Amino acid sequence: MSQTAGRISFQGEPGAYSHQACRQARPGMEAIPCATFEDAIEMVRKGDAELAMLPIENSTYGRVADMHHLLPESGLHIIDETFVRVHINLLALPGTKIEDIEQAMSHTVLLGQCRTFLRQHRLQPRTGADTAGSARQVADWGNPKIAALASELAGEIYGLDVLARHIEDKSNNTTRFLVMSREPDLKRRGQGPMMTSFMFRVRNIPAALYKAMGGFATNGVNMTKLESYMVDGQFTATQFYADIEGHPDDRNVQLALEELRYFTSQLTLLGTYPADPRRR
C-alpha cells in the first residue's frame, strides 16, 4: 500500500491523537475523520478509504474498549502498526496568558493524566467529549478563561496558542495503533523483525490454554501480548488475542501455530506486519 496516495480513516475529530497517528504513519494520505470506530472500518470496507487507523492499547490505560470485538468482525487485515507518544498541551486563544485561564477542558482520561499541572496552576478541570473536540470548542467559544488539553496538531488546526507543552504526569504515555486494510499483505517488509497477530478460541478440554501455549515456548516463539475477553457476554466462552514475533512462513512459527490449532476450535489470522522500532 502506497504511503503517498489515497485516504485513511480514523475515529475522532481533526487534531485527535488518531489523526496524529495517520500523519505519522501515512503522511501522504488524506486523513478522514469518523464519528465511531465502526464508521472508520466501514469506510474501508465500502472502498471509500484505503486504510483505517485504529487504536488498540495505551501504556497507561490498557486496551481500548470494544476494539478486540471489532477486529475479528471487521473483515479487515492488519498491515502495519505505529506508536504515538501522547504529549498533552495546554491550548488557548491567541494572546491569552496562562494566568488568565480558569478552566482546562478535555476528555476525562486526559484530565486525569494532568492532575499535577492543573493543581499547580489552579485550573478547574472541565470534561469535554474528546480532546480535539475540546480544542475546537475553545476556539468557537472565544472565551479566554477556558483552555483545552490536546495535541499540538489540534492547536494548529483550530488556531490556538500552545501555552504549555508536554504537561502529562507520566512521561512514557504511549498509544499503539494498527493500520487496517481490505486486503492482507503477507509479504516480509522492511529490514527488521515481523509481527503476527491472531485471535483464537480454545477447545473445551482440561488445561487447553496451557497446552496451546506450550508450542510457542518449545519452538522459541516470543509472544508479546496475550489478552482474553468474553464472547457475547458468556462466562464460559473466552476468546484470546495474541501478538507474536515472527512471520507465518518461519518454521518455528509454523510449528507453534500447528500445535495451537490442535487445541483450538477457532483460529483467525489478523495480519502480519513489520515491528515498529518504537516497540523496542
Side-chain angles (χ1 to χ4, degrees):
M1 174 62 64
S2 171
Q3 297 191 19
T4 59
R7 310 171 91 201
I8 181 168
S9 60
F10 68 94
Q11 186 276 327
E13 298 206 30
Y17 290 98
S18 292
H19 188 184
Q20 183 177 327
C22 293
R23 281 199 174 185
Q24 177 177 295
R26 296 294 188 274
M29 298 186 77
E30 180 186 2
I32 307 298
C34 299
T36 66
F37 293 129
E38 289 89 344
D39 290 341
I41 290 169
E42 187 62 20
M43 280 201 72
V44 179
R45 278 202 294 235
K46 290 166 55 180
D48 294 332
E50 284 69 34
L51 303 175
M53 180 69 72
L54 301 176
I56 189 168
E57 60 188 326
N58 176 267
S59 60
T60 302
Y61 286 90
R63 69 188 183 192
V64 175
D66 296 332
M67 192 53 63
H68 291 74
H69 295 281
L70 292 173
L71 286 178
E73 299 171 2
S74 69
L76 305 183
H77 306 270
I78 306 170
I79 63 164
D80 207 354
E81 67 175 354
T82 193
F83 291 77
V84 171
R85 272 287 290 108
V86 182
H87 287 306
I88 305 172
N89 309 277
L90 185 70
L91 309 177
L93 295 171
T96 303
K97 297 179 181 179
I98 196 167
E99 53 265 28
D100 298 331
I101 300 170
E102 297 178 358
Q103 297 181 348
M105 182 177 179
S106 193
H107 188 281
T108 181
V109 169
L110 253 71
L111 291 173
Q113 295 177 15
C114 302
R115 288 192 181 97
T116 300
F117 180 88
L118 297 179
R119 187 169 57 250
Q120 287 175 345
H121 293 273
R122 299 180 180 179
L123 299 178
Q124 178 185 351
R126 178 168 179 163
T127 301
D130 55 40
T131 59
S134 296
R136 178 181 53 77
Q137 285 187 303
V138 167
D140 290 345
W141 289 340
N143 185 347
K145 294 183 179 180
I146 304 175
L149 302 176
S151 67
E152 288 195 52
L153 176 59
E156 172 189 324
I157 290 173
Y158 300 110
L160 301 176
D161 285 350
V162 179
L163 300 191
R165 285 182 168 84
H166 304 181
I167 62 174
E168 60 271 14
D169 293 335
K170 294 187 177 182
S171 61
N172 64 341
N173 190 11
T174 302
T175 298
R176 179 187 177 213
F177 291 84
L178 299 177
V179 181
M180 311 292 293
S181 172
R182 283 188 305 279
E183 301 298 328
D185 187 349
L186 302 180
K187 301 187 303 294
R188 295 183 188 273
R189 309 185 294 284
Q191 302 301 313
M194 296 288 289
M195 301 293 298
T196 298
S197 297
F198 53 90
M199 305 194 82
F200 64 95
R201 199 178 300 182
V202 295
R203 292 166 55 195
N204 189 20
I205 58 175
L209 179 60
Y210 173 79
K211 294 173 182 176
M213 294 297 94
F216 296 95
T218 56
N219 288 288
V221 177
N222 185 30
M223 181 170 287
T224 61
K225 176 167 290 295
L226 177 66
E227 290 191 336
S228 65
Y229 56 95
M230 291 186 297
V231 179
D232 298 327
Q234 299 179 33
F235 288 99
T236 56
T238 304
Q239 191 153 279
F240 295 87
Y241 169 91
D243 296 329
I244 59 172
E245 292 181 350
H247 188 278
D249 289 342
D250 297 338
R251 183 56 179 162
N252 63 333
V253 173
Q254 288 179 349
L255 293 171
L257 290 177
E258 285 175 9
E259 194 162 336
L260 176 65
R261 286 189 182 95
Y262 183 78
F263 296 105
T264 58
S265 59
Q266 182 178 319
L267 175 61
T268 304
L269 180 68
L270 297 176
T272 184
Y273 48 93
D276 190 301
R278 283 170 287 251
R279 72 161 43 246
R280 295 182 177 276

